[in-house]
Amino acid sequence: MKTTLKRIHTEDGLELVGLLYEPELPTDKVLVHVHGMGGNFYENKFLDNLSATLTNNGIAFFAFNNRGCESFKDLTRISDGKRSFVRIGNAYEKFEDCLLDIKAAIDATSGWGFELVHLSGHSLGSPKTAYYLSETGDTRISSLLLLSPSDMVGLVQDQPARFESDNQKAQDLVRADKGKELLQNQIWDEYPISASSYLSLFKSGSAVDIFNFHDPSGKLEALNRIRQPLFAVMGRKDSSLIVPIEETMERLTKAASNSIKVETKILGDANHGYDGFEEQLAEAVLRWIQKI
């Protein structure tokens, strides 16, 4: 396996950094991976197993930082040939901007000569990748892999009183033109979040509400617009589960009725980050890509 640090550029001028893992022999296959909320391209241990397993079997792997990387991130912006810094990160990201980040990654990997491009997303990366494919229909993508697909809205609404308070405060700040002000409460007492980003990432009926399992009548309509093969993986101890895992997989399968092929896998008692199940996840992903 050989690795190369890559810098890719979005249409709005952001420079994003990632790592390309390649097998020793040339390949036309690559898996592009989108990390989750406040994450990065190296944090999750399962990425080590995934990159090794794929490259050992002739498939490249590209994991990159999107603009929601970590809580606060000073990213380089290039405009008119001049470099400057802009602070974004998860605290200030806008969900819809994932279209720009993912497009930049697909453009780059296609430009590097990969013809069979698979796309995966973990946690918040799952609604981002599903949103991208449902909005763009990008025919360069061979399949979509959803790793621990998360109902972002349902996860905050699981604490109704706190959700109502935070949601109202965010709306008040945005109306007062203070959208960049951080809310007093951190998301799950872990992630600082600005008022604008709170409404972008956790508002019912908005673009982020892809996996609306919290709504019994939710139809996951974005998945219905995806025609590429789709593979979803979760474990029974995933902390992002809103409804029982069997119902989760059933609703995903039903919603993705226009996909050429749909498969789901319950990965035993794996948690949200697949701790202790890294090899099993890598093997499941490999088997999926090999059959497409």
Side-chain angles (χ1 to χ4, degrees), residues 234-253:
M234 295 187 86
R236 293 186 181 278
K237 292 187 177 180
D238 194 320
S239 56
S240 70
L241 282 167
I242 297 295
V243 297
I245 193 167
E246 289 82 6
E247 180 182 342
T248 295
M249 295 309 197
E250 182 180 349
R251 289 174 67 177
L252 277 171
T253 302

Side-chain angles (χ1 to χ4, degrees), residues 76-234:
T76 298
R77 171 162 278 158
I78 303 174
S79 179
D80 297 326
K82 298 180 180 180
R83 299 172 71 89
S84 60
F85 288 101
V86 55
R87 176 159 293 183
I88 307 180
N90 177 238
Y92 299 113
E93 73 171 314
K94 180 182 178 183
F95 177 79
E96 290 85 350
D97 287 342
C98 69
L99 297 179
L100 299 171
D101 298 345
I102 297 173
K103 183 179 185 299
I106 302 302
D107 287 347
T109 48
S110 296
W112 298 333
F114 296 106
E115 297 179 359
L116 298 174
V117 181
H118 300 267
L119 179 64
S120 66
H122 174 243
S123 193
L124 174 58
S126 285
K128 285 183 175 180
T129 54
Y131 178 66
Y132 176 81
L133 205 45
S134 69
E135 289 293 305
T136 67
D138 195 332
T139 56
R140 296 173 296 177
I141 297 175
S142 298
S143 78
L144 175 63
L145 296 86
L146 304 174
L147 313 182
S148 301
S150 300
D151 178 354
M152 304 306 294
V153 176
L155 286 169
V156 295
Q157 289 189 359
D158 195 44
Q159 298 178 298
R162 182 163 177 171
F163 168 72
E164 184 176 345
S165 174
D166 289 345
N167 187 55
Q168 187 60 57
K169 180 64 174 177
Q171 292 186 59
D172 291 344
L173 286 171
V174 169
R175 279 195 292 265
D177 199 26
K178 297 180 179 179
K180 289 190 175 181
E181 186 170 317
L182 297 177
L183 297 182
Q184 181 177 0
N185 290 328
Q186 296 184 356
I187 300 297
W188 306 303
D189 298 319
E190 183 177 0
Y191 300 101
I193 195 83
S194 67
S196 293
S197 290
Y198 184 93
L199 296 179
S200 175
L201 295 174
F202 303 106
K203 183 179 179 181
S204 292
S206 65
V208 74
D209 205 8
I210 302 287
F211 303 111
N212 50 354
F213 298 114
H214 63 278
D215 180 358
S217 64
K219 297 181 180 179
L220 291 74
E221 294 177 354
L223 295 186
N224 191 253
R225 298 194 293 272
I226 296 174
R227 299 191 178 279
Q228 284 90 338
L230 185 150
F231 181 50
V233 186
M234 295 187 86

Side-chain angles (χ1 to χ4, degrees), residues 36-110:
M37 184 170 174
N40 51 51
F41 69 80
Y42 52 83
E43 181 179 74
N44 292 115
K45 183 181 176 184
F46 70 76
L47 297 176
D48 299 346
N49 296 78
L50 196 51
S51 59
T53 297
L54 292 179
T55 54
N56 285 340
N57 287 275
I59 302 167
F61 181 63
F62 180 57
F64 70 102
N65 285 346
N66 60 61
R67 71 188 65 206
C69 170
E70 301 169 4
S71 291
F72 304 98
K73 191 71 173 178
D74 291 332
L75 297 173
T76 298
R77 171 162 278 158
I78 303 174
S79 179
D80 297 326
K82 298 180 180 180
R83 299 172 71 89
S84 60
F85 288 101
V86 55
R87 176 159 293 183
I88 307 180
N90 177 238
Y92 299 113
E93 73 171 314
K94 180 182 178 183
F95 177 79
E96 290 85 350
D97 287 342
C98 69
L99 297 179
L100 299 171
D101 298 345
I102 297 173
K103 183 179 185 299
I106 302 302
D107 287 347
T109 48
S110 296

